[in-house]
């Protein structure tokens, strides 16, 4: 479910963290869905279990996953889906900002950009 | 825990170990790295109880390991140069190992038949080098050791098998808290599996730290300065290496990325970027100070 890029400057635990975060915000891992155990993840990626534990711990403190002792880790916050939507919204807006910045760099004018946005809204 | 304390070993006047100190914490995966002839295999042969140190101590769970069957039963090793009896088959060696290791897991042995796909009746010495190494893993992993000692373990294995054996080992680490000590030159691979690293040179351990610690305390910076401006770095920065291509300067600096960047920002770079170092780069720069570097010889 994750691919690691060994030429990336991002450390492995960061790649696992971001990879899982992406799966969660895009909904590929639905809220409440069980994540692979640290052991099975360590075995399938052939990396140190402590590295995976570190990624899981940080994801939990960032509120993307929660763990239930003796049962494992699950996607999303424990309580409601409102938080989920907020996360998704933030991620999508961030993506949009990135796209706008890139288009700006390619000398797209504000008018052209607005036209695209309006076209999308009217559809 | 495995502890090597100030171990010295001399072979006909040559000090192979010159006061080596190693601590392998329980449940850790410890990577032992160093140039050829640094003493890695010698340390490993002390830990497996083959050599007796001239002075110093080699302890497994607090007890000396040399001539100590109780401690040796806790550990299993794959040496760099293994030995199988003349015309022994895999099944023969399994019975041999089972006789020595009280925790030998016969059910696991059966399950591994599928993983390794080597006929049980095959005479080990007639197998290829890589397949012999697979047999070594097959038998060793079935001993269910608390401590697994590996000297260049994956040399000779194909990429699929390498991943397969690491996968088995990592799952044992996660599930049973197996402690692993591994020496290797494949730093790329060690970076994935290790959480602790010891760098050896000339019979001593130069650095021993957790991998996170090691990678967070040395940083690679790429900086671009204004044209014609000779960059003078603040004196308090410990710069290990400087190189440049055109106006792009690369610095290897000791310290945390955020602190070093904060120090350099006032110098007014056009661009400044901190990059994490790979274990391979750390190895090269740390040993570079020890007069050990790739010599640029053109033949």
């Amino acid at each position: 479910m994750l691919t690691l890029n060994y030429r990336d400057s991002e450390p492995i635990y960061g790649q696992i963290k971001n990879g899982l975060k992406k799966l969660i915000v895009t909904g590929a891992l639905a809220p409440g869905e069980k994540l692979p155990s640290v052991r099975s993840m360590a075995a399938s990626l052939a990396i140190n279990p402590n590295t995976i534990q570190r990624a899981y711990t940080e994801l939990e403190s960032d509120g993307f996953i929660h763990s239930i002792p003796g049962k494992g880790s699950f996607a999303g916050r424990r309580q409601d889906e409102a938080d989920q939507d907020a996360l998704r919204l933030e991620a999508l807006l961030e993506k949009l900002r990135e796209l706008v910045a890139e288009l700006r760099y390619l000398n797209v004018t504000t008018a052209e950009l607005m036209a695209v946005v309006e076209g999308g809204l009217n559809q | 825990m495995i502890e090597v304390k100030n171990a010295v070993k001399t072979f006909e006047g040559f000090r192979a170990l010159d006061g080596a100190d190693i601590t392998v914490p329980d449940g850790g995966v410890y990577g032992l790295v160093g140039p050829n002839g640094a003493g890695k295999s010698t340390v490993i042969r002390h830990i497996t109880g083959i050599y007796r140190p001239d002075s110093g101590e080699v302890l497994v769970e607090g007890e000396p390991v040399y001539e100590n069957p109780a401690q040796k039963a806790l550990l299993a090793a794959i040496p760099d140069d293994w030995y199988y009896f003349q015309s022994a088959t895999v099944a023969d060696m399994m019975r041999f190992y089972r006789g020595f290791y009280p925790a030998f897991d016969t059910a696991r042995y059966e399950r591994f038949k599928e993983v390794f796909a080597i006929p049980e009746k095959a005479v080990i010495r007639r197998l290829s080098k890589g397949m012999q190494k697979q047999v070594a893993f097959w038998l060793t992993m079935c001993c269910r050791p608390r401590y697994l000692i590996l000297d260049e373990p994956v040399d000779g294995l194909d990429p699929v098998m390498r991943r397969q054996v690491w996968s088995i080992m990592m799952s044992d680490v996660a599930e049973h808290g197996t402690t692993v000590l591994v020496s290797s030159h494949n730093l790329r691979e060690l970076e994935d599996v290790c959480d602790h690293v010891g760098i050896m040179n000339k019979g001593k351990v130069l650095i021993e730290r957790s991998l996170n610690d090691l990678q967070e305390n040395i940083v690679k910076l790429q900086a671009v300065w204004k044209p014609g401006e000779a960059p003078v770095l603040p004196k308090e920065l410990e710069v290990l290496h400087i190189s440049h291509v055109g106006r792009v300067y690369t610095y290897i600096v000791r310290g945390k990325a955020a602190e070093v960047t904060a120090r350099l920002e006032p110098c007014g770079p056009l661009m400044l970027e901190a990059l994490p170092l790979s274990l391979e780069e750390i190895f090269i720069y740390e040993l570079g100070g020890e007069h050990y570097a790739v010599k640029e010889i053109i033949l």
Side-chain angles (χ1 to χ4, degrees):
Chain A
M1 75 201 285
L2 291 176
T3 37
L4 300 177
N5 176 6
Y6 297 113
R7 294 188 179 277
D8 204 327
S9 63
E10 178 80 31
I12 304 268
Y13 90 89
Q15 290 189 36
I16 295 172
K17 191 178 147 187
N18 291 334
L20 286 174
K21 205 191 280 185
K22 205 169 170 185
L23 289 176
I24 291 166
V25 297
T26 55
L29 271 172
E33 203 171 324
K34 192 174 187 304
L35 270 70
S37 70
V38 170
R39 191 195 72 87
S40 72
M41 194 87 137
S44 71
L45 295 172
I47 61 174
N48 193 300
N50 294 329
T51 310
I52 292 160
Q53 190 58 60
R54 185 174 176 193
Y56 276 28
T57 308
E58 291 196 7
L59 279 172
E60 185 162 10
S61 66
D62 292 351
F64 286 98
I65 64 171
H66 66 272
S67 62
I68 300 174
K71 290 202 166 163
S73 300
F74 299 84
R77 274 183 214 269
R78 204 174 301 251
Q79 325 91 339
D80 50 336
E81 287 187 19
D83 291 333
Q84 274 309 307
D85 293 341
L87 289 175
R88 179 104 199 268
L89 182 73
E90 189 40 57
L92 287 173
L93 282 175
E94 183 55 39
K95 211 182 255 174
L96 185 62
R97 271 179 229 122
E98 276 172 26
L99 271 176
V100 170
E102 203 170 331
L103 287 165
R104 272 276 183 231
Y105 178 73
L106 295 171
N107 295 325
V108 175
T109 64
T110 311
E112 279 171 327
L113 254 178
M114 292 313 289
V116 174
V117 174
E118 270 166 16
L121 289 173
N122 292 336
Q123 248 177 30
Chain B
M1 191 157 73
I2 299 174
E3 293 161 289
V4 177
K5 292 181 184 167
N6 200 18
V8 174
K9 181 74 177 177
T10 314
F11 296 111
E12 297 176 6
F14 172 71
R15 281 170 95 84
L17 288 189
D18 193 4
D21 287 291
I22 288 177
T23 307
V24 185
D26 278 339
V29 181
Y30 187 106
L32 192 59
V33 303
N36 298 130
K40 301 185 296 294
S41 294
T42 310
V43 163
I44 284 176
R45 286 180 199 136
H46 278 89
I47 292 171
T48 49
I50 295 166
Y51 289 162
R52 179 167 49 184
D54 295 348
S55 67
E57 286 182 299
V58 181
L59 310 173
V60 172
E61 297 195 348
E63 295 282 327
V65 69
Y66 186 77
E67 295 290 8
N68 188 343
Q71 301 317 99
K72 285 187 185 180
L74 301 176
L75 48 93
I78 299 181
D80 54 343
D81 195 7
W82 57 89
Y83 178 84
Y84 294 112
F85 298 118
Q86 203 79 356
S87 74
T89 64
V90 180
D92 292 336
M93 286 313 289
M94 184 272 282
R95 283 188 285 274
F96 182 76
Y97 272 63
R98 196 172 55 188
F100 278 101
Y101 282 95
F104 195 90
D105 188 337
T106 315
R108 193 173 216 205
Y109 172 82
E110 295 296 328
R111 283 199 303 279
F112 279 174
K113 276 182 185 170
E114 272 178 48
V115 176
F116 293 104
I118 294 169
E120 198 186 17
K121 295 265 182 289
V123 173
I124 302 174
R125 284 195 170 196
R126 291 209 196 116
L127 296 170
S128 76
K129 183 174 176 249
M131 289 177 98
Q132 291 192 20
K133 197 128 215 183
Q134 289 185 33
V135 174
F137 269 103
W138 184 356
L139 296 170
T140 307
M141 297 309 292
C142 291
C143 298
R144 293 272 187 203
R146 204 177 293 174
Y147 299 93
L148 189 59
I149 318 293
L150 309 163
D151 199 354
E152 310 217 2
V154 292
D155 281 21
L157 293 182
D158 68 60
V160 174
M161 248 325 135
R162 287 169 106 97
R163 210 180 153 91
Q164 179 74 68
V165 298
W166 281 123
S167 158
I168 296 170
M169 286 192 279
M170 287 305 115
S171 129
D172 272 14
V173 170
E175 200 167 11
H176 304 289
T178 310
T179 305
V180 183
L181 172 71
V182 50
S183 90
S184 175
H185 290 295
N186 192 332
L187 302 181
R188 172 72 276 301
E189 209 164 72
L190 284 187
E191 215 168 349
D192 293 349
V193 296
C194 291
D195 44 31
H196 286 77
V197 174
I199 301 183
M200 280 192 87
N201 195 21
K202 296 177 183 162
K204 288 191 177 76
V205 178
L206 301 178
I207 303 162
E208 180 179 71
R209 247 181 255 155
S210 87
L211 190 56
N212 285 337
D213 220 30
L214 203 57
Q215 287 181 320
E216 278 163 17
N217 282 305
I218 183 165
V219 61
K220 179 157 81 176
L221 286 167
Q222 284 199 323
V224 181
W225 306 93
K226 292 191 190 84
E229 208 169 87
V232 182
L233 298 187
K235 279 206 179 62
E236 62 272 21
L237 284 183
E238 194 182 340
V239 182
L240 298 177
H241 187 83
I242 301 178
S243 65
H244 69 103
V245 178
R247 272 161 57 207
V248 181
Y249 282 74
T250 306
Y251 303 99
I252 309 295
V253 187
R254 239 184 253 284
K256 296 211 190 311
E259 286 168 18
V260 175
T261 319
R263 282 265 162 74
L264 274 182
E265 284 291 359
C267 305
L270 292 175
M271 185 211 87
L272 185 65
E273 194 181 7
L275 305 163
L277 259 80
S278 67
L279 183 55
E280 185 162 336
E281 286 171 304
I282 294 173
F283 180 86
I284 291 168
Y285 294 120
E286 289 286 359
L287 287 176
E290 294 275 308
H291 310 289
Y292 190 77
V294 179
K295 296 185 180 62
E296 291 186 25
I297 300 169
I298 296 161
L299 293 173

